[in-house]
Amino acid sequence: MSTLVLAWSLTAAQFLLGLAMLCATFRILRGPRAQDRVVGFDTLYVTAMLLLVTFGIGLGTAIYFEAALLIALLGFVGTVALAKFLLRGEVIE
Amino acid sequence: MTWLLPHPLASAVLLALWLLLNTTMSAAHIVLGSAVALAGGWALHALEPPKARIGRPGAILRLFSLVFADIVRSNVAVARIVLGLGGRERTSGFVNIPLDLRDPYGLAALACIITSTPGTLWVKHDPLTGMLTIHVLDLIDEGDWLRTLKGRYERLLLEIFE
Amino acid sequence: MNRTADIPAWAEIVTAALVLLGATITLIGAFGLVRMKTFYARVHPPTLGTTLGTGCIAMASIVYFSVLQTRPVLHEVLLVLFVLVTTPVTLMLLVRAALFRDEAKSEAGEASSSAIE
């Protein structure tokens, strides 16, 4: 019975996180300015990371944790590079 | 001892990170993690970071519990604003706060606290005048924010870092 | 879902509640990104996801795997710490970039309007 509860709530949580990613994608596509798109991207990768952690719980494996950590790392570097680019027009000074 | 472990705290954190990342307490990983921690300590020493003086474990604990409570509370507050509950007119704006805190680590900790708390955002800090600009989502009273920030966080951070 | 048979009911219910709570908080934060009108207001709501959203889901993962493997599994703490430490850096840079771009835009606007006059 309780296994069903966990399975159901994991699916529901993945649905909610998917909706959150859609919201972030809306902001990336809509803009209106470049900084709004970068905030959208920032939200998108954090939500994707959380989605991977819920996948990991659902499948009972720790492999997804590594993927989540990688997404967090690459997303952070990507956002910083984009913000730096907006600030000066070049990434490395 | 100082040449072997120039930054004992940083090395200890590195070892803890290594063991957490591998989720193990086996002897082999402790040896490997210690090697990483030692190398990390030497690398940090070569970078010559400014000296940090951390004191008062009691104040650190109090700061952590305070920040945790504030994060939960402002999460609820921002969620209400997003969902349109509360009903009244909302204004957001910038607030200038003169800081007495000068320690770079203390300022970094304050930046993490302010930005991690939903509804407030660190915008810029002028190291010459010590003037900090933050952006507040739900701005009711500037003086209120000034007192909260200086009274709650800055006093504890001054205790910890100076 | 093949390994969930040997896990006590309380752990499943705690995990389920934490995952749902974290996902809901993250969704509210992302929804705020759509709903807020100005850039500076838009920066605030996503921090819901990076604080309590990440915290709740990581806590769920810690509870689940700790009970499953009958020893503490804490490496999700790293995720929370990493996100907590990196969010201020990205948001500070972004807000600074936005201020810089706003100033540049208003200066350019004035220059072009004076050129027309």
Side-chain angles (χ1 to χ4, degrees):
Chain A
M1 202 314 252
S2 61
T3 312
L4 212 66
V5 170
L6 184 61
W8 182 86
S9 60
L10 276 175
T11 312
Q14 281 157 10
F15 178 71
L16 294 178
L17 288 173
L19 276 183
M21 286 175 80
L22 274 182
C23 289
T25 312
F26 169 82
R27 193 42 76 197
I28 292 178
L29 294 177
R30 189 64 184 275
R33 299 195 67 199
Q35 54 263 41
D36 296 289
R37 296 177 209 267
V38 181
V39 174
F41 172 70
D42 193 59
T43 317
L44 187 66
Y45 87 76
V46 171
T47 318
M49 183 197 83
L50 294 178
L51 193 59
L52 277 184
V53 176
T54 57
F55 276 139
I57 298 176
L59 296 173
T61 159
I63 291 290
Y64 282 93
F65 165 77
E66 322 274 338
L69 205 57
L70 268 181
I71 284 200
L73 271 169
L74 292 180
F76 166 63
V77 174
T79 322
V80 167
L82 284 170
K84 274 303 258 186
F85 183 74
L86 293 184
L87 200 57
R88 290 270 184 272
E90 51 194 292
V91 177
I92 299 167
E93 290 172 24
Chain B
M1 204 52 200
T2 42
W3 66 267
L4 186 65
L5 264 179
H7 298 276
L9 194 62
S11 295
V13 170
L14 264 179
L15 177 59
L17 277 181
W18 182 270
L19 292 178
L20 267 180
L21 202 54
N22 290 298
T23 36
T24 173
M25 282 301 278
S26 67
H29 268 298
I30 291 177
V31 170
L32 204 54
S34 304
V36 171
L38 280 182
W42 294 332
L44 193 61
H45 188 60
L47 291 173
E48 293 176 357
K51 268 256 174 288
R53 287 185 31 245
I54 301 173
R56 309 273 189 111
I60 296 177
L61 269 181
R62 214 158 62 239
L63 183 69
F64 264 98
S65 51
L66 194 68
V67 168
F68 183 73
D70 278 357
I71 285 180
V72 173
R73 218 183 34 226
S74 50
N75 260 282
V76 175
V78 173
R80 284 175 66 92
I81 291 172
V82 168
L83 295 176
L85 306 172
R88 66 192 160 71
E89 196 59 30
R90 179 183 57 78
T91 51
S92 56
F94 296 94
V95 181
N96 286 317
I97 295 168
L99 284 184
D100 303 317
L101 190 67
R102 284 292 187 276
D103 184 83
Y105 296 103
L107 288 171
L110 190 63
C112 276
I113 292 170
I114 289 179
T115 315
S116 297
T117 318
T120 52
L121 192 65
W122 175 289
V123 178
K124 62 182 175 197
H125 173 256
D126 187 348
L128 288 177
T129 55
M131 187 61 90
L132 166 71
T133 309
I134 64 172
H135 184 265
V136 182
L137 181 61
D138 190 9
L139 185 64
I140 302 166
D141 177 24
E142 278 191 37
D144 198 38
W145 277 102
L146 205 149
R147 276 190 298 278
T148 314
L149 211 128
K150 283 192 84 73
R152 279 172 92 86
Y153 302 133
E154 200 194 9
R155 200 170 42 80
L156 277 171
L157 283 169
L158 279 172
E159 255 184 62
I160 294 169
F161 286 101
E162 276 166 29
Chain C
M1 289 299 153
N2 45 1
R3 292 174 64 189
T4 47
D6 51 351
I7 187 165
W10 66 265
E12 298 219 349
I13 294 194
V14 168
T15 312
L18 280 173
V19 163
L20 272 182
L21 184 65
T24 313
I25 291 170
T26 312
L27 177 58
I28 292 174
F31 181 61
L33 196 61
V34 173
R35 200 156 178 270
M36 293 291 149
K37 296 283 187 294
T38 64
F39 168 77
Y40 297 105
R42 271 178 210 138
V43 181
H44 293 284
T47 48
L48 285 181
T50 61
T51 53
L52 267 194
T54 310
C56 283
I57 291 183
M59 197 63 215
S61 183
I62 289 174
V63 168
Y64 185 74
F65 285 107
S66 297
V67 172
L68 200 67
Q69 305 189 0
T70 60
R71 69 189 167 86
V73 177
L74 292 173
H75 59 325
E76 284 84 358
V77 172
L78 288 179
L79 268 186
V80 178
L81 280 182
F82 185 79
V83 170
L84 270 186
V85 170
T86 54
T87 317
V89 179
T90 50
L91 292 189
M92 268 163 70
L93 269 175
L94 259 178
V95 169
R96 214 176 283 175
L99 280 175
F100 173 75
R101 279 168 64 88
D102 282 350
E103 279 166 21
K105 194 185 178 189
S106 61
E107 274 168 25
E110 280 164 23
S112 63
S113 62
S114 63
I116 292 167
E117 286 162 17

